[in-house]
Amino acid sequence: MTSNEDENQMKVQEIEVQKDEEEEEVEEEKEKNEEQEQKEEEKEEKDDEKDEDENQNQIVLKKDDDDNDEQEEEAEEKEEVHEIRMDGDGDEENKSNLEIVLSPEIKINVEWFINANKNVNIEFKTNSKQKLVLHWGVYIDNHIDKWNHIDKYYYPPLTKDFDEFALETDFSYLEQDDIEQKISINFPRENIDTFNFVFFEKDANRWYNNDSHDYHIQLN
């Protein structure tokens, strides 16, 4: 091989080496660009997910706020019937009364007063033909964590001890359509502060307890 041929061959090799290096550089640059693009895409996805989470949190918080507002409104509405307050001493001509609607078929009218001798008179009436029970007790000396019995001498008819704390009185269920069921309870006011009660429907095995708050007539 001549000297010129050797030189040409070396030049060709150099050109090929240079070409390979350039291709490697291009390939490396391409890979870098692809990595950068992938990182940017991942960052954008994370940012989108973060924005979505924040929006979802805002929606949840708003819903929670709305739910709390609704619960507070419901609580305020219920609070109006949690306590039935006695407006001082009265007489039979100025008795207090309230209608309690347990269901479309069951409405109870409650009347009460304290006479001049400090005797409490409470009467429950209903035109419903359901078999109902009055479950009741009293707070004594403002012990609002414990129901108590009144003296047995003052038990109305059809009354029995439910347990050591509460009593049960059956409404005077009658088949006649024109006669209402009722319960009359009379006892000395003395140290009794509150009359507490709920209702039980026998055939349906259902309690009516004012959303677990019971019903109360304040006597003091």
Side-chain angles (χ1 to χ4, degrees), residues 123-137:
E123 189 167 67
F124 297 85
K125 299 178 183 178
T126 180
N127 288 319
S128 171
K129 298 307 170 187
Q130 308 301 321
K131 294 181 179 180
L132 301 173
V133 176
L134 179 70
H135 184 91
W136 58 285

Side-chain angles (χ1 to χ4, degrees), residues 90-141:
D91 54 39
E92 193 165 3
E93 293 181 359
N94 298 303
K95 64 179 64 174
S96 299
N97 67 82
L98 176 75
E99 183 179 70
I100 300 176
V101 180
L102 304 182
S103 72
E105 297 80 23
I106 305 175
K107 299 178 181 179
I108 311 287
N109 183 266
V110 188
E111 295 182 342
W112 69 92
F113 67 94
I114 301 176
N115 64 20
N117 295 323
K118 302 296 183 181
N119 289 322
V120 178
N121 298 266
I122 304 174
E123 189 167 67
F124 297 85
K125 299 178 183 178
T126 180
N127 288 319
S128 171
K129 298 307 170 187
Q130 308 301 321
K131 294 181 179 180
L132 301 173
V133 176
L134 179 70
H135 184 91
W136 58 285
V138 296
Y139 290 154
I140 295 177
D141 291 330

Side-chain angles (χ1 to χ4, degrees), residues 134-220:
L134 179 70
H135 184 91
W136 58 285
V138 296
Y139 290 154
I140 295 177
D141 291 330
N142 232 7
H143 290 165
I144 61 175
D145 58 340
K146 180 182 177 183
W147 285 31
N148 286 278
H149 297 172
I150 61 172
D151 190 300
K152 279 191 175 183
Y153 178 81
Y154 300 102
Y155 283 14
L158 305 177
T159 297
K160 62 181 180 181
D161 294 349
F162 177 78
D163 55 23
E164 61 180 313
F165 307 109
L167 302 166
E168 283 194 342
T169 302
D170 286 359
F171 278 77
S172 53
Y173 175 78
L174 299 171
E175 295 291 344
Q176 295 93 326
D177 292 336
D178 57 342
I179 300 179
E180 61 187 0
Q181 302 186 63
K182 65 180 180 179
I183 296 173
S184 296
I185 303 174
N186 304 282
F187 56 89
R189 155 72 176 82
E190 295 180 342
N191 58 343
I192 297 173
D193 304 289
T194 308
F195 183 90
N196 311 297
F197 59 98
V198 300
F199 302 96
F200 179 69
E201 184 182 356
K202 287 185 176 181
D203 291 339
N205 193 30
R206 180 182 299 132
W207 288 93
Y208 300 96
N209 58 10
N210 196 21
D211 293 323
S212 300
H213 294 282
D214 304 336
Y215 298 94
H216 311 281
I217 297 178
Q218 297 292 336
L219 302 176
N220 56 355

